[in-house]
Amino acid sequence: MLHAFPDLADQSVWLVVPLVAGLIALRYVVLAGGALALITTFGRRLRHRRIQPIPFARRQLWREFGYSMLTALIFTLVGLFTVTVGREWGLSKVYLDPDQHGLVWLLLSVPVVVLIHDTYFYWTHRFMHLPSVYERVHKVHHLSTNPSPLAAMAFHPLEAVIEAGVIVFLTMLVPIHIGVLAVWALYMFATNVMGHLGYELLPRGLATHPLFGWLNTATGHNQHHRTFRSNYGLYTTIWDRLMGTLHPRYAELYDRTTGSRPTPDAAERPVNTGAPS
């Protein structure tokens, strides 16, 4: 079938695979590894911001790292397929000239891309929590009930394909400048690392703030890993609030973790049902 896609059939294209995969892996090591080094070095000073008291196990860290390296390769292949086949079929709307769609769209496309991805992530995440799908695909990611930053890309290969599918979807749906694509990819990964940090570094009161309460937090995603349900969003809590899937004690746990409530309550204690929802 490669002869049907001249770009893919060109052997020089495949030389890019190890380079791109290496760059994705390097980004993972710098951001996820750097975050792990940070919380390890300053763990004692940050202990009042720790969401769960459970330590990261060495076996857990190696598992998260191994799956993440596989994900880096899958992301590379999906991205390569999108660029080559998308251009061959005239489906890809990625462009290089910033003047092609004007400065207004160039700036506006950043939040547009983020909100589209937030929607894509929420609904595919809900899909992967269907019992039959969860057991075969998403369970790998949930093996870490107290995830470390290294879990940011620790996906089953099929989940990695689903996660990378947003690139195909976005490049077909809206015009995206290559620079915007790069900025979004960096922001996406940084948000994912933050969600798996295990420590809440955002300020007190944010979970219920009238302007910024829609932003997702490390507390929210960590709570998802503990309960196996609720808090399905990535960048925001918008869809969780609209669909009634925000954990009822999310704000309580956030307040407790950030020191807004000095008295421990039930929101602090892990609740692992063992079943997806």
Side-chain angles (χ1 to χ4, degrees):
M1 293 296 292
L2 288 181
H3 66 277
F5 310 112
D7 290 336
L8 283 175
D10 186 351
Q11 292 184 357
S12 63
V13 172
W14 293 98
L15 297 178
V16 178
V17 172
L19 174 62
V20 176
L23 289 175
I24 294 176
L26 179 62
R27 181 189 67 180
Y28 169 83
V29 170
V30 171
L31 293 183
L36 180 61
L38 178 70
I39 61 178
T40 300
T41 303
F42 299 101
R44 291 181 63 85
R45 296 183 183 181
L46 296 172
R47 61 183 180 274
H48 62 290
R49 289 296 190 109
R50 189 170 184 171
I51 303 169
Q52 290 192 59
I54 305 171
F56 303 139
R58 181 175 297 182
R59 183 177 180 182
Q60 168 195 343
L61 296 177
W62 278 113
R63 183 188 68 245
E64 292 171 348
F65 177 80
Y67 275 110
S68 294
M69 290 300 97
L70 180 57
T71 295
L73 177 60
I74 293 171
F75 279 10
T76 300
L77 294 175
V78 172
L80 179 65
F81 181 86
T82 301
V83 172
T84 55
V85 176
R87 292 185 64 179
E88 179 68 19
W89 289 2
L91 297 176
S92 175
K93 296 184 179 181
V94 176
Y95 63 98
L96 302 178
D97 183 0
D99 296 325
Q100 184 173 339
H101 293 279
L103 179 60
V104 173
W105 171 249
L106 185 70
L107 298 176
L108 186 61
S109 63
V110 177
V112 168
V113 166
V114 169
L115 290 174
I116 291 175
H117 185 208
D118 202 44
T119 301
Y120 177 94
F121 184 90
Y122 176 86
W123 288 106
T124 54
H125 198 180
R126 288 286 302 271
F127 167 75
M128 287 188 289
H129 271 268
L130 295 174
S132 57
V133 181
Y134 175 88
E135 287 296 325
R136 293 175 174 82
V137 179
H138 194 46
K139 185 177 181 179
V140 165
H141 187 64
H142 271 280
L143 290 174
S144 300
T145 53
N146 183 33
S148 82
L150 298 187
M153 286 172 53
F155 307 131
H156 183 283
L158 289 178
E159 179 172 358
V161 172
I162 293 173
E163 297 285 357
V166 70
I167 301 173
V168 181
F169 180 71
L170 279 171
T171 55
M172 291 175 58
L173 187 64
V174 295
I176 306 178
H177 185 266
I178 189 68
V180 170
L181 202 61
V183 169
W184 161 68
L186 182 61
Y187 175 59
M188 169 187 63
F189 186 65
T191 300
N192 221 355
V193 171
M194 181 273 292
H196 296 87
L197 195 60
Y199 290 77
E200 187 53 75
L201 303 184
L202 295 177
R204 297 179 182 182
L206 185 138
T208 54
H209 194 280
L211 293 179
F212 302 108
W214 56 272
L215 292 173
N216 210 347
T217 66
T219 300
H221 195 67
N222 189 280
Q223 192 172 41
H224 172 78
H225 272 265
R226 291 193 304 158
T227 64
F228 286 70
R229 60 186 68 204
S230 303
N231 306 357
Y232 297 99
L234 176 59
Y235 307 102
T236 77
T237 60
I238 293 174
W239 280 106
D240 280 307
R241 294 180 187 276
L242 288 175
M243 302 308 298
T245 54
L246 189 68
H247 196 286
R249 291 184 170 174
Y250 161 62
E252 292 180 42
L253 179 60
Y254 186 90
D255 287 346
R256 170 68 183 125
T257 305
T258 56
S260 300
R261 295 189 181 185
T263 304
D265 55 34
E268 181 187 20
R269 296 196 296 269
V271 180
N272 186 341
T273 65
S277 174

